[in-house]
Amino acid sequence: MFHRYLNGETMKITCPHCHKVNQLPIERLSSGPICGACKGDLLSAPIDVDDQTFGELVAQSPLPMVVDFWASWCGPCKMFAPTFQASAAKHVNEVLYVKVNTEENQLLSQRLNVRSIPTLAAYVKGQERNRVSGALPAPSLEQFIQQALAA
């Protein structure tokens, strides 16, 4: 996983290609941000967030967000991770892919009523638009993404 977090209104994103930390204002998420070092797409991999940064990102993201609630001990979560990663690369700069480790962020999971994992939730303009539980095959994930984009 690549560690990324918010600091005020600036995100620190570790490049999924060269692992250099980049600072990025949240409002620039929709402008195709690239790494200052290697020029790779910064959003071609999911962003890891925690309880403190989740709400701020949901409220301020100019892009639709798809959130994967998961845990390290969850077999279906591990099997789904490459599918989620591939979808992030396919929809780079179109949809923001976010991962929340429910084991490390139990209060957030409780507040959002995440009852099983993996759970996917789609957010558009700060509002949850859709939710599904279970590891999805790639075609079902694509359908879920298209529903989020159409909202």
Side-chain angles (χ1 to χ4, degrees):
M1 281 304 134
F2 302 102
H3 299 285
R4 299 156 191 206
Y5 55 91
L6 293 172
N7 181 7
E9 294 190 7
T10 301
M11 296 181 72
K12 289 188 178 182
I13 301 177
T14 302
C15 177
H17 309 287
C18 73
H19 308 289
K20 179 166 175 55
V21 176
N22 292 259
Q23 287 196 27
L24 179 71
I26 293 171
E27 61 271 7
R28 288 208 38 235
L29 285 172
S30 62
S31 66
I34 59 172
C35 176
C38 75
K39 308 302 182 211
D41 288 315
L42 287 176
L43 302 181
S44 62
I47 297 172
D48 294 316
V49 299
D50 61 19
D51 195 0
Q52 294 178 314
T53 59
F54 179 82
E56 186 175 353
L57 187 56
V58 167
Q60 296 184 33
S61 176
L63 294 174
M65 285 177 43
V66 176
V67 183
D68 177 16
F69 294 93
W70 68 285
S72 60
W73 51 263
C74 170
C77 297
K78 290 180 182 181
M79 291 184 345
F80 178 66
T83 304
F84 195 68
Q85 173 79 28
S87 186
K90 178 179 179 179
H91 293 284
V92 66
N93 301 319
E94 182 181 17
V95 177
L96 184 60
Y97 285 73
V98 175
K99 292 185 74 75
V100 174
N101 184 328
T102 58
E103 198 168 335
E104 295 174 0
N105 300 284
Q106 293 179 11
L107 293 177
L108 175 62
S109 301
Q110 289 173 359
R111 190 173 74 238
L112 296 175
N113 294 316
V114 175
R115 303 271 186 231
S116 63
I117 53 174
T119 290
L120 293 177
Y123 292 84
V124 178
K125 297 179 182 172
Q127 300 294 316
E128 184 175 332
R129 297 291 169 97
N130 201 1
R131 183 184 286 211
V132 65
S133 293
L136 299 178
S140 297
L141 176 59
E142 182 62 26
Q143 183 178 11
F144 185 83
I145 301 300
Q146 291 306 318
Q147 289 173 346
L149 291 175

